[in-house]
């Protein structure tokens, strides 16, 4: 049977071409994602930037702290405190005088666009370790002089510098240095840098490394070589980008991989169904069911091996294209490069993708061959002359079970776990279930849908409408197989994109309802707003402002320290402008200076006194005055304003936003004009709260949108190819139908119209099933969002979905007309030959 399988493949290679294409692309997709993940787990160390010329860098460290388990910007308690004076004395004592240089890093921005670089201030003595050399001028000689990158200002200029401590400060440029790629730095004197940022970030030591390590013990890390990059600000951004990639790719692989497996298995099974006449003839001449199954298994093994090997190679060399797609979406770091490699870490996902392709090919072919192999020889020709409109019991059971599980999962998310919709990793996979169930049960729905969709055309003149309907009704398995890629394309993208837009809109509405103030300040090309700017606005008559300053709250949980975000804000402003949904207690407290408001999910009852550590290590006991309802990722503690002290308790002393309201009787035009004058050139932008809500929501939902849209793009590209591929296979195998139509007197134009109308009906069936599956997803989403945000309309991107449906239709039409046109050109419009007439008589 192996010889027969090889000969069959050689004779009917066109029928298997679509299967090979689908399998190659499916395996390539899975292999590329596996290679990307394998590469991410073993990336080469990034070179040091700010400390490239430093022999060693000392960083305070917590041995139990793993930054990969924490949000970007959250530091361990030792890192938040900075280098303590005792550690500075020990490192200094390990070397000669002058061997230790103090580094401080704090927000400092010159006028002009921010770009993509950090706007940061440093003491001048540390500049030489980052490769900074004076182009002209001299080092800063007093506290009102600075050195700036070339192109930012000229030597002798007086410039404004935005800092958290001073707001806008005036300095004279004493010299310039060559610009670098990773930051826009402003260099101050040691004394001025210490005033602006008391916290010491790191120490650069010229002393012998062994002596320094002995001096610091486990209290700090002594970084040398490429490890010095861990002291760069870019290390956090690299980690965030890599974490985002490592988080996103498995989600993409699960959705896109499941889609690819389903399409490949369906395509291979469809190719076997198309050959039922051949199988029936083999049974007639004496082939046993076991021989038939062995032949098909050998064919699948040959096709699967060749196609999977080609897909594996394509995935290996195409992994960089996938990385480029993620880089373009802002997920992966721009420096990520994936070259072809045969390292063990890369061979494992390649081997897994290869084996998966072979298994899928075998599973799709063998499952479809069982029914044909059970045909009795006496029934062979009769069975082969018409399509089997039934549905195998196993597929029916799988579809019903999947439908129950999918509906149950959707209902559970909607009513019991609505927060799941805010977790892209989990929710994206759940959206896949109803769509796949619809594809599995498609043969059952083809008949009713065909009658329903063709009902408006029943009175049309001519036989085309009747022929199209009856062709679909007598070929339901073929129709379901050709409609499946359309169903997956429209159903998955509609569910993914609608969920993304609906969740984003719900967040917008939630932010708008949570803020009562009509105006706001937002950073204008800066990481935050200086407290000096906030104070300046607060001095305007009739203006009230609330500016929460971000900090970190550390609490002890048994033997470890837990960290949480906190916002330092005036309680009166919190009550009047931010309006958290209080569940217990009251924001009004008799001891506002020592109380806090926490999220109810923290399980801290009202009245509890909680010992906490602030970012500078200060120990404070705070009483829980109230709890409020918060979503995952939005649960912060609201602290008294005394914890907003610049450089002491807060991360950087900057407010991420500020909310403004006007006292009764205040003229809005006068007040807003005064606010605009006050914030001009300070790195803050005045706007309405509606505009702020849009800005905040764009920032909050960026990663969610990228995750879901990138997954949709991968699925979309694969399904578009599957649509064209499947329709080409289906139409190319129907030359007998074309011959019958021509013998009955149909003109070439009528033949084209028949096949075109049938392909449009197939698309309509697929789209209808997609809408039904998406309706289940969106109904569950609507209930979940209503529980989370109150009113939450479902937003459907009609224009995008219309474009996707139009492209799917065009591909289906192309996949139909290309083989039909080729067959008609071969006939050149003449009468069919004797072989065709014999075929027609047999039909």
């Amino acid at each position: 049977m192996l010889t027969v399988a090889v000969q069959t493949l050689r004779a009917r290679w066109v029928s298997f071409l679509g299967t090979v294409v689908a399998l190659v692309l499916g395996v390539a997709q899975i292999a590329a994602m596996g290679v990307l993940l394998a590469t991410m787990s073993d990336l080469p160390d990034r070179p040091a930037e700010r400390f490239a010329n430093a022999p060693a860098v000392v960083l305070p460290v917590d041995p139990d702290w793993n930054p990969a388990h924490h949000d970007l910007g959250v530091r361990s308690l030792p890192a938040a405190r900075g280098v303590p004076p005792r550690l500075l004395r020990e490192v200094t004592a390990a070397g000669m005088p002058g061997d230790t240089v103090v580094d401080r890093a704090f927000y400092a921005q010159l006028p002009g666009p921010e770009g993509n670089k950090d706007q940061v201030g440093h003491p001048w003595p540390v500049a030489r370790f980052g490769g900074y050399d004076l182009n002209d001028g001299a080092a800063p000689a007093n506290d009102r002089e600075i050195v700036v990158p070339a192109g930012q200002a000229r030597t002798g200029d007086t410039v404004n510098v935005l800092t958290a401590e001073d707001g806008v400060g005036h300095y004279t440029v004493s010299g310039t240095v060559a610009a670098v790629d990773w930051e826009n730095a402003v260099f101050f004197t040691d004394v001025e840098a210490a005033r602006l940022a008391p916290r010491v970030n790191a120490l650069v030591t010229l002393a012998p490394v062994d002596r320094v390590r002995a001096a610091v013990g486990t209290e700090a890390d002594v970084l040398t070589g490429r490890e010095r990059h861990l002291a760069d600000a870019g290390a956090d951004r690299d980690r965030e980008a890599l974490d985002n990639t490592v988080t996103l790719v498995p989600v993409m692989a699960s959705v896109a991989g499941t889609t690819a497996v389903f399409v490949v298995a369906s395509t291979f099974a469809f190719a076997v169904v198309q050959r039922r006449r051949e199988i029936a003839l083999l049974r007639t001449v004496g082939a046993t069911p076991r021989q038939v199954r062995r032949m098909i298994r050998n064919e699948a093994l040959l096709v699967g091996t060749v196609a999977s090997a080609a897909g594996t190679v394509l995935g290996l060399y195409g992994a960089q294209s996938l990385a480029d797609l993620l880089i373009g979406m802002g997920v992966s770091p721009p420096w990520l490069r994936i070259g072809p490699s045969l390292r063990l870490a890369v061979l494992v996902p390649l081997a897994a993708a290869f084996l998966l392709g072979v298994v899928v090919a075998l599973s799709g072919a063998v499952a479809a061959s069982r029914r044909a192999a059970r045909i009795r020889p006496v029934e062979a020709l009769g069975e082969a002359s018409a399509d089997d409109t039934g549905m195998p019991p196993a597929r029916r059971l799988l579809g019903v079970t999947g439908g129950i599980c999918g509906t149950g999962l959707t209902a559970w998310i909607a009513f019991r776990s609505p927060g799941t919709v805010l977790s892209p990793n989990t929710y994206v996979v759940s959206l896949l279930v109803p769509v796949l169930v619809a594809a599995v049960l498609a043969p059952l729905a083809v008949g009713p849908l065909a009658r329903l969709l063709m009902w408006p055309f029943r009175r049309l003149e001519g036989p085309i409408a009747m022929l199209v309907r009856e062709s679909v009704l007598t070929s339901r398995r073929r129709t379901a197989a050709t409609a499946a890629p359309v169903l997956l394309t429209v159903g998955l993208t509609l569910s993914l994109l609608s969920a993304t837009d609906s969740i984003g809109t719900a967040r917008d509405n939630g932010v708008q309802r949570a803020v009562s103030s009509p105006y706001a300040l937002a950073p204008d090309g800066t990481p935050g707003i200086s407290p000096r700017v906030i104070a300046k606005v607060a001095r305007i008559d009739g203006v009230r402002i609330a500016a929460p300053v971000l900090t970190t709250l550390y609490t002890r949980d048994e033997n470890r320290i837990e960290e949480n975000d906190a916002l330092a804000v005036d309680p009166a402003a919190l009550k009047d402008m931010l309006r958290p949904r209080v569940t217990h207690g009251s924001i009004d407290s008799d001891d506002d200076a020592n109380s806090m408001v926490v999220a109810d999910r923290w399980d801290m009852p009202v009245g509890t006194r909680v010992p906490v550590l602030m970012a500078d290590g200060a120990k404070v006991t705070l009483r829980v005055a109230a709890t409020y309802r918060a979503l995952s990722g939005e649960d912060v503690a609201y602290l008294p304003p005394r914890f907003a002290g610049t450089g002491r308790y807060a991360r950087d002393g900057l407010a991420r936003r500020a909310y403004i309201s006007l006292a009764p009787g205040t003229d809005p035009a006068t007040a807003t004009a005064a606010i605009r004058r006050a914030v001009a050139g300070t790195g803050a932008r005045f706007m309405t709260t509606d505009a702020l809500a849009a800005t905040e929501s764009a920032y909050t939902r960026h990663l969610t949108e990228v995750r879901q849209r990138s997954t949709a793009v991968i699925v979309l590209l694969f399904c578009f190819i599957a649509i064209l591929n499947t329709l080409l296979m289906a139409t190319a195998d129907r030359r007998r139908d074309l011959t019958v139509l021509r013998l009955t007197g149909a003109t070439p134009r009528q033949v084209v119209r028949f096949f075109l109308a049938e392909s449009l009906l197939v698309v309509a069936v697929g789209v209808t099933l997609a809408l039904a599956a998406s309706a289940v997803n969106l109904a569950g989403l609507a209930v979940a969002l209503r529980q989370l945000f109150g009113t939450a309309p479902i937003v459907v991107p009609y224009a995008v979905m219309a474009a996707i449906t139009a492209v799917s239709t065009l591909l289906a039409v192309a996949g139909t007309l290309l083989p039909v046109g080729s067959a008609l050109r071969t006939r050149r419009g003449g009468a069919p030959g004797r072989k065709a007439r014999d075929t027609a008589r047999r039909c």
Side-chain angles (χ1 to χ4, degrees):
M1 279 298 172
L2 180 61
T3 303
V4 175
V6 173
Q7 292 175 347
T8 303
L9 290 177
R10 292 178 58 186
R12 292 182 58 91
W13 66 271
V14 175
S15 298
F16 285 94
L17 182 60
T19 306
V20 171
V21 171
L23 192 55
V24 167
L25 294 176
V27 171
Q29 178 177 274
I30 297 171
M33 293 183 181
V35 170
L36 178 58
L37 282 177
T39 304
M40 299 289 289
S41 65
D42 190 24
L43 284 172
D45 294 330
R46 296 267 289 150
E49 295 171 339
R50 286 192 47 233
F51 300 102
N53 297 331
V57 179
V58 178
L59 281 182
V61 65
D62 180 353
D64 299 325
W65 181 267
N66 184 353
H69 297 164
H70 303 272
D71 294 335
L72 186 69
V74 177
R75 299 176 296 213
S76 67
L77 185 57
R81 292 172 177 170
V83 177
R86 179 180 54 80
L87 184 60
L88 174 59
R89 290 193 297 269
E90 291 173 352
V91 173
T92 302
M96 302 293 292
D99 280 353
T100 303
V101 180
V102 172
D103 176 57
R104 307 174 196 270
F106 51 94
Y107 166 65
Q109 181 170 351
L110 293 166
E114 177 187 7
N116 295 321
K117 301 180 184 179
D118 286 335
Q119 312 296 311
V120 64
H122 297 297
W124 171 250
V126 81
R128 70 181 190 272
F129 300 112
Y132 288 103
D133 295 315
L134 282 170
N135 286 347
D136 56 66
N142 59 66
D143 295 343
R144 304 318 299 171
E145 291 186 347
I146 56 174
V147 172
V148 302
Q152 298 283 314
R154 293 190 298 269
T155 300
D157 289 350
T158 298
V159 297
N160 297 330
V161 181
L162 299 176
T163 62
E165 177 68 25
D166 283 354
V168 179
H170 306 288
Y171 294 87
T172 300
V173 177
S174 65
T176 64
V177 293
V180 295
D181 295 333
W182 58 86
E183 66 180 8
N184 279 331
V186 180
F187 294 98
F188 301 81
T189 62
D190 237 337
V191 175
E192 180 68 359
R195 184 185 71 84
L196 294 172
R199 175 179 169 274
V200 178
N201 287 65
L203 303 175
V204 177
T205 177
L206 307 180
V209 174
D210 292 341
R211 294 178 58 182
V212 175
R213 286 200 172 103
V216 303
T218 59
E219 191 175 355
D221 272 343
V222 182
L223 308 178
T224 59
R226 287 184 176 268
E227 288 184 345
R228 293 168 298 174
H229 179 61
L230 298 176
D232 292 330
D236 283 340
R237 291 193 299 273
D238 291 347
R239 178 175 63 82
E240 182 189 35
L242 296 178
D243 286 350
N244 289 341
T245 305
V246 172
T247 302
L248 172 60
V249 171
V251 178
M252 294 174 60
S254 61
V255 176
T258 303
T259 306
V261 167
F262 186 88
V263 170
V264 169
S266 299
T267 304
F268 212 113
F270 180 50
V272 174
V273 170
Q274 285 183 311
R275 299 172 54 226
R276 291 172 62 248
R277 189 176 189 86
E278 290 180 9
I279 296 171
L281 290 172
L282 286 174
R283 294 287 289 119
T284 302
V285 298
T288 64
R290 183 177 181 181
Q291 288 174 319
V292 170
R293 288 195 296 269
R294 186 185 303 169
M295 179 193 71
I296 295 175
R297 185 172 61 248
N298 291 336
E299 290 173 355
L301 183 61
L302 290 172
V303 171
T305 301
V306 174
S308 298
T312 302
V313 175
L314 182 60
L316 176 62
Y317 286 90
Q320 183 60 50
S321 298
L322 175 62
D324 292 339
L325 174 65
L326 297 179
I327 291 171
M329 291 182 172
V331 178
S332 300
W335 48 264
L336 180 61
R337 293 293 176 268
I338 304 175
S341 171
L342 295 181
R343 293 178 294 112
L344 179 61
V346 174
L347 289 176
V348 171
L350 291 178
F354 174 82
L355 292 176
L356 181 61
V358 175
V359 170
V360 168
L362 286 171
S363 301
V366 172
S369 68
R370 289 177 181 173
R371 187 175 180 85
R374 287 197 297 266
I375 299 174
R376 291 177 299 174
V378 69
E379 300 172 345
L381 293 179
E383 180 73 9
S385 64
D387 184 24
D388 180 8
T389 59
M391 186 173 176
R395 180 168 180 173
R396 189 189 300 267
L397 177 62
L398 176 63
V400 172
T401 304
I404 295 173
C405 294
T407 305
L409 176 63
T410 302
W412 181 78
I413 291 175
F415 294 101
R416 301 290 296 173
S417 182
T420 303
V421 302
L422 304 180
S423 175
N425 293 357
T426 303
Y427 191 55
V428 165
V429 177
S430 70
L431 292 174
L432 188 66
V433 179
V435 181
L436 291 180
V437 169
V440 172
L441 295 176
L444 292 179
V446 166
L449 286 178
R451 293 187 180 94
L452 176 64
L453 294 171
M454 291 303 297
W455 181 79
F457 307 101
R458 69 190 187 283
R459 297 186 183 277
L460 289 180
E461 295 182 1
I464 298 297
M466 182 271 294
L467 288 174
V468 168
R469 187 187 66 178
E470 294 306 318
S471 175
V472 169
L473 290 177
T474 56
S475 307
R476 298 181 189 181
R477 296 181 66 185
R478 183 189 69 208
T479 303
T482 51
V486 178
L487 162 60
L488 293 175
T489 303
V490 178
L492 288 177
T493 52
L494 176 59
S495 297
L496 285 170
L497 299 183
S498 296
T500 300
D501 292 346
S502 299
I503 293 171
T505 301
R507 284 188 181 274
D508 290 350
N509 295 339
V511 171
Q512 290 173 349
R513 287 194 302 271
V515 178
S516 61
S517 59
Y519 307 106
L521 295 180
D524 186 14
T526 64
I529 308 169
S530 168
R532 295 297 182 94
V533 177
I534 304 298
K536 188 177 179 181
V537 173
R539 288 194 292 268
I540 300 175
D541 292 337
V543 173
R544 295 181 295 186
I545 186 169
V549 176
L550 182 64
T551 185
T552 305
L553 190 71
Y554 298 89
T555 57
R556 292 192 180 275
D557 182 10
E558 297 180 354
N559 296 324
R560 63 177 183 174
I561 294 179
E562 297 284 344
E563 81 291 335
N564 290 287
D565 286 339
L567 295 172
V569 62
D570 181 67
L574 175 65
K575 179 181 178 181
D576 295 340
M577 299 187 202
L578 301 184
R579 297 189 305 184
R581 293 181 289 178
V582 176
T583 55
H584 297 92
S586 173
I587 295 177
D588 298 320
S589 174
D590 296 334
D591 185 13
D592 288 341
N594 295 291
S595 64
M596 64 178 176
V597 178
V598 301
D600 53 7
R601 59 190 299 120
W602 288 15
D603 295 328
M604 293 182 180
V606 172
T608 304
R609 294 191 175 275
V610 183
V612 300
L613 295 171
M614 304 309 298
D616 66 342
K619 297 180 180 180
V620 182
T621 299
L622 298 176
R623 186 181 69 86
V624 178
T627 61
Y628 71 99
R629 190 175 181 183
L631 300 176
S632 176
E634 299 178 359
D635 48 334
V636 299
Y638 291 102
L639 304 179
R642 70 187 181 95
F643 295 109
T646 302
R648 184 180 179 191
Y649 299 112
R651 292 183 188 173
D652 54 16
L654 299 174
R656 295 322 191 257
R657 61 194 65 84
Y659 305 97
I660 298 174
S661 62
L662 304 180
T666 303
D667 179 46
T670 303
T672 55
I675 295 171
R676 287 190 174 91
R677 288 194 299 270
V679 301
T682 64
R685 181 159 50 98
F686 182 63
M687 62 179 66
T688 64
T689 49
D690 289 343
L692 177 65
T695 302
E696 289 187 340
S697 64
Y699 174 79
T700 303
R701 68 188 185 187
H702 168 70
L703 187 56
T704 299
E705 288 187 349
V706 166
R707 285 174 174 171
Q708 296 189 0
R709 291 184 187 278
S710 57
T711 303
V713 168
I714 297 294
V715 171
L716 198 62
L717 293 176
F718 184 80
C719 287
F720 276 164
I721 296 172
I723 291 172
L724 182 61
N725 172 34
T726 305
L727 267 296
L728 281 171
M729 288 177 60
T731 309
D733 194 61
R734 298 181 62 194
R735 292 179 179 269
R736 187 163 57 92
D737 294 347
L738 188 149
T739 300
V740 171
L741 288 172
R742 294 289 285 119
L743 284 173
T744 57
T747 65
R749 177 176 295 182
Q750 288 174 321
V751 171
V752 170
R753 288 174 57 191
F754 166 76
F755 280 99
L756 176 60
E758 189 178 70
S759 69
L760 292 177
L761 179 57
V762 168
V763 171
V765 169
V767 171
T768 304
L769 290 173
L771 293 176
S774 299
V776 174
N777 283 327
L778 297 184
L781 176 65
V783 175
L785 292 180
R786 187 173 295 276
Q787 292 196 66
L788 294 174
F789 298 100
T791 57
I794 295 299
V795 180
V796 178
Y798 292 103
V800 175
M801 292 312 305
I804 291 173
T805 304
V807 173
S808 300
T809 304
L810 290 175
L811 290 173
V813 170
T816 300
L817 295 184
L818 287 176
V820 170
S822 175
L824 289 175
R825 284 193 300 271
T826 301
R827 302 284 182 190
R828 297 185 182 276
R834 184 179 65 182
K835 183 178 179 181
R837 289 195 298 271
D838 293 341
T839 301
R841 281 195 294 270
R842 288 197 300 270
C843 293

